Amino acid sequence: MSEPATPVTFPPAFLWGAATSAYQIEGAVREDGRTPSIWDTFSHTPGKTAGGENGDIANDHYHLYRDDVALMAELGLTAYRFSVSWSRVQPTGRGPAVQRGLDFYRRLVDELLSHNIKPALTLYHWDLPQELEDAGGWPERDTALRFAEYAQIVGEALGDRVEQWITLNEPWCSAFLGYGSGVHAPGRTDPEASLRAAHHLNLAHGLGTSALRTAMPARNSIAVSLNSSVVRPRSQDPADLVAVRRIDDLANGIFHGPMLHGAYPETLLADTSSITDWSYVLDGDLSLINQPLDALGLNYYTPTLVGAAETAPNSPRADGHGASEHSPWPGADDVMFHQTPGERTEMGWTIDPTGLHELIMRYTTEAPGLPLYITENGAAYDDKPDPDGRVHDPERIAYLHGHLSAVRRAITDGADVRGYYLWSLMDNFEWAYGYDKRFGAVYVDYATQARTPKSSALWYGEAARTGALPSANTTE
């Protein structure tokens, strides 16, 4: 398909950002009072991560943050989404804050503001303090109560200078990869526990939102980032359409139902009734979860293709969420996941910008009047420096051009999308995949911690500076 004759331009106030998360980049895991999170424990458990790699050092952002912020400014970014390490701020997950931990985020925010980069703070990006996991983790109600206290602490410390707040990042992964399939920390494989975890993550979001409201100026924006799936049927056969509805409930409705509408889908409760009676949903919980939001974050990478099981329900799942004998889809063992056709990234995920447009338009209807941000979107490729030390990644440029064009089409179609956060600012610790998968616009040599902007970073920086997409055919 040829590119349009006129440039794809964005509204003047559109935010051009990049995203990271604490455990993936900070390192310094034992400095200034920080204690282990579930990802420290998981990554140090033999066999859990590729090559036994961990985030002990990662990108050493804890010490190099000034250089990293200067690089963002040099590229022309106008926003930066980062997460706070709960166990750096509140090492046991309860009690008073460690000021040395908060001071790091104060310095980071001040550095961003001094470069006219808008900070977007995510309170939870999967790194639960290990002591809270030892007490039962997200399947226990108390964890949601502890999260509200943590939110209050961070809100009071940084609410005067951070205006954009996100409670949770991808609670689906925390619940179902962490407690269902076990491919993420803490590595548990209990279908009932995964559903309990989902509810208590929802409760944490609601309680955390309320806590932030009391701790911060009213001008601040509070959101949540959902990795809502674009679930498509293999065919129009009624059995395949039922499979879509079941996975949509487990991927999407289980979170946006209570968060946006104050109720779980009745079909979800029925489909999972053999696993749990949902008695941990107490009177008043749904009202606590259903707090008014100022925005909604959407994370998108690839669509999901499903159908009714045929003759081999025990065949490997092609759901893109890692290999495990245990399913992250409780009550849906008879749904089959199929590889969608098309080009793929290094993660094996199909490249399909139409899914991003579809997702945006769905939530334009699902949450009318609620501003949207694309809080993650990006691709992993096998990036390597050339003999001159430059890193050319034309595949990522094409990926970004396609997906940002889909965002612009959605805006034209009436969606209120106010910003885009590229995943990721730089290569980092990619969870169970270790350092093998490179999502960054900036190449990181982990042996030297040298940062090299890839050609996609320069391309994206030009888009940020001009508000228009450069050609996808550039080599620089």
Side-chain angles (χ1 to χ4, degrees):
M1 182 185 298
S2 62
E3 292 183 22
T6 56
V8 178
T9 59
F10 285 76
F14 190 83
L15 290 180
W16 297 87
T20 64
S21 87
Y23 189 71
Q24 293 181 272
I25 67 167
E26 284 182 3
V29 295
R30 285 174 286 274
E31 289 190 36
D32 292 335
R34 185 189 181 278
T35 57
S37 74
I38 55 175
W39 269 98
D40 294 274
T41 302
F42 186 82
S43 64
H44 281 269
T45 302
K48 295 297 186 182
T49 65
E53 292 170 334
N54 57 64
D56 285 5
I57 299 172
N59 298 32
D60 199 24
H61 176 72
Y62 192 75
H63 299 112
L64 300 176
Y65 71 93
R66 289 187 179 89
D67 295 340
D68 291 335
V69 173
L71 182 54
M72 295 178 219
E74 183 180 332
L75 291 173
L77 301 189
T78 58
Y80 174 55
R81 177 179 173 235
F82 63 95
S83 78
V84 171
S85 164
W86 189 346
S87 58
R88 194 181 293 288
V89 166
Q90 201 184 24
T92 64
R94 46 172 59 85
V98 171
Q99 292 302 318
R100 289 172 297 169
L102 279 173
D103 284 345
F104 168 69
Y105 298 105
R106 291 186 177 106
R107 294 192 302 269
L108 172 61
V109 167
D110 289 346
E111 195 74 15
L112 290 165
L113 294 175
S114 74
H115 286 82
N116 296 313
I117 297 171
K118 182 183 285 289
L121 187 155
T122 302
L123 283 169
Y124 186 74
H125 198 129
W126 307 353
D127 47 355
L128 186 70
Q130 183 61 42
E131 287 201 24
L132 290 185
E133 173 59 26
D134 293 342
W138 284 114
E140 296 300 319
R141 185 180 189 86
D142 186 63
T143 305
L145 305 181
R146 301 286 75 75
F147 178 81
E149 294 177 358
Y150 161 64
Q152 180 94 18
I153 287 170
V154 183
E156 289 175 351
L158 294 169
D160 62 331
R161 64 199 104 173
V162 176
E163 295 184 2
Q164 289 196 307
W165 292 72
I166 295 163
T167 53
L168 307 174
N169 178 77
E170 299 186 352
W172 186 88
C173 295
S174 298
F176 296 108
L177 301 184
Y179 294 91
S181 67
V183 299
H184 278 194
R188 288 161 62 178
T189 54
D190 180 343
E192 202 261 348
S194 70
L195 291 165
R196 291 176 65 97
H199 176 65
H200 293 132
L201 283 154
N202 282 330
L203 185 60
H205 160 74
L207 294 174
T209 298
S210 296
L212 289 175
R213 296 258 184 244
T214 68
M216 305 192 307
R219 68 172 185 270
N220 289 356
S221 168
I222 301 174
V224 64
S225 286
L226 301 177
N227 58 320
S228 296
S229 294
V230 176
V231 190
R232 294 170 172 169
R234 180 186 52 173
S235 77
Q236 293 302 306
D237 184 281
D240 288 346
L241 298 179
V242 169
V244 167
R245 196 269 306 153
R246 291 172 67 187
I247 297 305
D248 187 75
D249 280 351
L250 284 166
N252 304 327
I254 194 170
F255 296 108
H256 77 224
M259 288 181 181
L260 300 180
H261 309 304
Y264 285 106
E266 289 295 331
T267 46
L268 168 72
L269 304 181
D271 287 345
T272 56
S273 60
S274 64
I275 298 170
T276 180
D277 61 5
W278 292 86
S279 59
Y280 40 85
V281 181
L282 305 185
D283 289 346
D285 278 6
L286 292 168
S287 295
L288 293 172
I289 295 166
N290 183 215
Q291 297 298 311
L293 291 174
D294 302 299
L296 179 65
L298 299 176
N299 296 357
Y300 172 81
Y301 291 94
T302 190
T304 300
L305 186 66
V306 302
E310 296 169 339
T311 57
N314 295 320
S315 60
R317 286 183 311 280
D319 65 359
H321 293 297
S324 172
E325 295 179 0
H326 303 272
S327 174
W329 306 101
D333 289 341
D334 55 349
V335 172
M336 287 195 71
F337 291 81
H338 300 270
Q339 285 277 15
T340 49
E343 290 184 61
R344 305 186 190 286
T345 69
E346 280 292 305
M347 295 293 290
W349 297 343
T350 304
I351 303 165
D352 188 346
T354 68
L356 180 54
H357 179 272
E358 182 179 331
L359 184 68
I360 294 169
M361 299 315 298
R362 173 182 183 167
Y363 280 94
T364 297
T365 301
E366 194 83 43
L370 196 60
L372 304 176
Y373 291 86
I374 306 308
T375 41
E376 283 186 28
N377 176 240
Y381 290 105
D382 187 19
D383 304 314
K384 293 182 173 65
D386 68 13
D388 295 324
R390 297 178 298 182
V391 183
H392 298 294
D393 56 344
E395 303 92 348
R396 186 173 287 103
I397 291 173
Y399 182 100
L400 293 175
H401 190 281
H403 287 78
L404 281 161
S405 296
V407 172
R408 189 63 183 90
R409 285 196 301 277
I411 294 172
T412 300
D413 292 341
D416 184 10
V417 186
R418 299 190 181 182
Y420 175 94
Y421 291 85
L422 165 67
W423 187 269
S424 177
L425 172 66
M426 53 188 165
D427 299 332
N428 53 41
F429 177 73
E430 188 50 41
W431 308 114
Y433 294 98
Y435 293 96
D436 185 49
K437 307 298 185 187
R438 292 182 177 269
F439 275 90
V442 174
Y443 182 87
V444 177
D445 181 332
Y446 296 109
T448 65
Q449 293 298 344
R451 275 78 155 138
T452 303
K454 304 174 188 178
S455 49
S456 63
L458 305 179
W459 181 93
Y460 186 65
E462 183 178 345
R465 286 189 297 273
T466 63
L469 301 186
S471 167
N473 298 320
T474 182
T475 58
E476 285 292 341

